[in-house]
Amino acid sequence: KRISQKKKVKRENNSITKKPAVKREKKEVKEEKKPGKKPKKEPEPELPVWKWWLEEKLPEGQKWRSLSHNGPAFPEPYERVPDHIKFRYDGKVMKLSEKTEENATFFAKMLDHDYTTKSVFRKNFFDDFRRYMTENERSVIKKLELCDFSEMHQYFLDEAAKRKNRTKEEKEELKVEEQGRGRRTRYL
């Protein structure tokens, strides 16, 4: 009861000290056209809003009425980097197996990212990287610090720049080609 009495006292004190709200009138601002300023765009029409609370209730235990699915999406098979792109270990060129090279390209693509500087990420990557190596590669490659991914990294930067600099027509052709194969395009 003490708490409720204290609240009542506070409410009474607050009601006494409150000032009545003053309505502020909006001042009309005249739009003057100044040279070099763009005219304001008209607001876009509002999109229809799903009013779920107005829909018919589902029977108990049923969560939805329909489900549409486009099927599983499988990644494209790995394409090896061209032969002129070399992986080096301790300054020596090394030919990697396909699985090892695929994992090496993952790391090479991420060299610009902050993760590759973190010791935990590097340790975890190297543990997984060694898992995919052949016995011969595992006997040679012992430390991540001696691995040189710079040629691979530069190759992927160049490829990304080529993709970015495509013309609109080239992107449209690729999109049509991808749809012809039944594959949805995400990143062009």
Side-chain angles (χ1 to χ4, degrees), residues 9-174:
V9 171
K10 282 185 180 179
R11 285 185 194 148
E12 289 171 3
N13 290 341
N14 286 344
S15 64
I16 296 168
T17 58
K18 278 190 179 178
K19 294 179 183 177
V22 177
K23 289 186 180 179
R24 293 184 183 174
E25 294 180 21
K26 292 183 180 179
K27 295 180 182 177
E28 291 184 28
V29 178
K30 293 181 181 178
E31 291 185 28
E32 296 178 21
K33 292 185 179 181
K34 294 182 181 178
K37 284 202 171 186
K38 294 181 182 177
K40 289 186 178 180
K41 291 183 182 178
E42 292 181 21
E44 294 181 19
E46 289 187 31
L47 297 174
V49 178
W50 175 39
K51 297 181 179 179
W52 55 269
W53 59 91
L54 298 177
E55 284 189 1
E56 197 176 302
K57 299 276 187 207
L58 293 171
E60 189 173 328
Q62 187 178 350
K63 302 225 183 238
W64 55 81
R65 286 192 177 88
S66 64
L67 171 71
S68 63
H69 195 282
N70 294 325
F74 298 100
E76 294 289 322
Y78 174 70
E79 291 180 27
R80 295 192 74 143
V81 293
D83 290 332
H84 68 276
I85 306 299
K86 306 289 185 200
F87 170 80
R88 298 178 196 283
Y89 182 75
D90 200 14
K92 298 175 186 167
V93 174
M94 213 176 149
K95 181 74 175 158
L96 300 174
S97 66
E98 187 172 339
K99 287 281 186 188
T100 310
E101 182 184 282
E102 186 175 356
N103 284 284
T105 58
F106 164 76
F107 192 78
K109 287 177 183 179
M110 290 190 68
L111 280 178
D112 287 342
H113 205 282
D114 290 339
Y115 279 123
T116 56
T117 60
K118 297 182 180 184
S119 61
V120 173
F121 179 83
R122 293 175 69 84
K123 180 191 174 303
N124 290 340
F125 167 75
F126 193 65
D127 291 345
D128 291 340
F129 187 45
R130 285 186 56 85
R131 227 179 269 154
Y132 287 100
M133 291 181 192
T134 61
E135 286 297 321
N136 185 26
E137 292 167 340
R138 212 174 286 128
S139 66
V140 175
I141 300 173
K142 300 283 185 191
K143 293 181 180 179
L144 183 62
E145 292 76 29
L146 298 176
C147 295
D148 182 11
F149 299 97
S150 59
E151 278 188 46
M152 287 180 172
H153 177 66
Q154 190 57 47
Y155 169 74
F156 290 118
L157 288 177
D158 294 343
E159 288 297 306
K162 284 180 191 174
R163 272 194 309 278
K164 207 175 209 180
N165 294 330
R166 287 182 188 155
T167 63
K168 193 173 187 178
E169 292 79 26
E170 289 173 329
K171 289 179 182 179
E172 201 58 42
E173 277 180 35
L174 184 65

